[in-house]
Amino acid sequence: MRPALVAAALVLVISCGGGGTTASRSPSPLGTAEPTPLARPSGQLDAQVAMPSGFPGDMPVYSRARLTLGAKFNSSGQVSWGMEWQTLDSVAKVQAFYADKLNHGDWTITFTNKANNNFSATFTRKSNSFVQGTVGAGTASGVTRISMSLVSPA
């Protein structure tokens, strides 16, 4: 299956509630058995969820956003992640962040659509072109939603 189709399917599954979210939490900084609390719904933003396991640590994540949906899927020798973050920052700030961060290091990005209130792009790992995905953002009711799908060989 083409990565673009996998990415679109991930976004659809997550949007429709069909993908489970990863619920693992990190231990607290003090090393106790209590999990690190995730943010509850507040203001315009939905509740925070834990990052799905195995998500590449060098993938840039917009720091002023809250992860609100996250899922990991294993299939046919591939692992796929689908996520959505929410932020009160503008689409322009989010787009500038990804334009900068995914054009440095081991990533490259190609924007496929740029408009005033949304963008979409594809990205690839330079050292392994089989690691690729999509990222996009749009604003509605003052909340910018950042959607990302990433596919990698298992």
Side-chain angles (χ1 to χ4, degrees):
M1 184 179 287
R2 296 187 62 210
L5 293 175
V6 171
L10 284 174
V11 172
L12 181 61
V13 167
I14 290 170
S15 298
C16 295
T21 58
T22 303
S24 62
R25 295 185 183 172
S26 307
S28 70
L30 300 176
T32 65
E34 292 183 36
T36 303
L38 297 172
R40 295 179 184 201
S42 61
Q44 297 172 285
L45 302 178
D46 293 341
Q48 181 182 15
V49 300
M51 179 66 74
S53 66
F55 189 72
D58 68 331
M59 169 53 70
V61 173
Y62 190 68
S63 64
R64 293 182 39 95
R66 173 185 295 186
L67 183 64
T68 56
L69 295 170
K72 176 182 177 182
F73 306 91
N74 291 303
S75 177
S76 303
Q78 292 186 326
V79 60
S80 304
W81 295 269
M83 279 93 50
E84 181 179 278
W85 290 268
Q86 294 178 359
T87 182
L88 299 178
D89 288 353
S90 69
V91 168
K93 286 183 180 182
V94 173
Q95 181 179 339
F97 170 84
Y98 282 106
D100 177 52
K101 299 298 182 187
L102 288 175
N103 271 324
H104 291 92
D106 197 25
W107 300 99
T108 186
I109 189 169
T110 303
F111 286 91
T112 55
N113 178 38
K114 293 181 189 180
N116 288 336
N117 288 319
N118 63 68
F119 76 87
S120 58
T122 59
F123 59 87
T124 306
R125 186 179 285 281
K126 291 176 185 174
S127 63
N128 182 349
S129 63
F130 292 107
V131 179
Q132 53 191 325
T134 62
V135 63
T139 299
S141 302
V143 175
T144 298
R145 296 178 188 275
I146 306 163
S147 297
M148 180 182 290
S149 63
L150 175 63
V151 179
S152 176

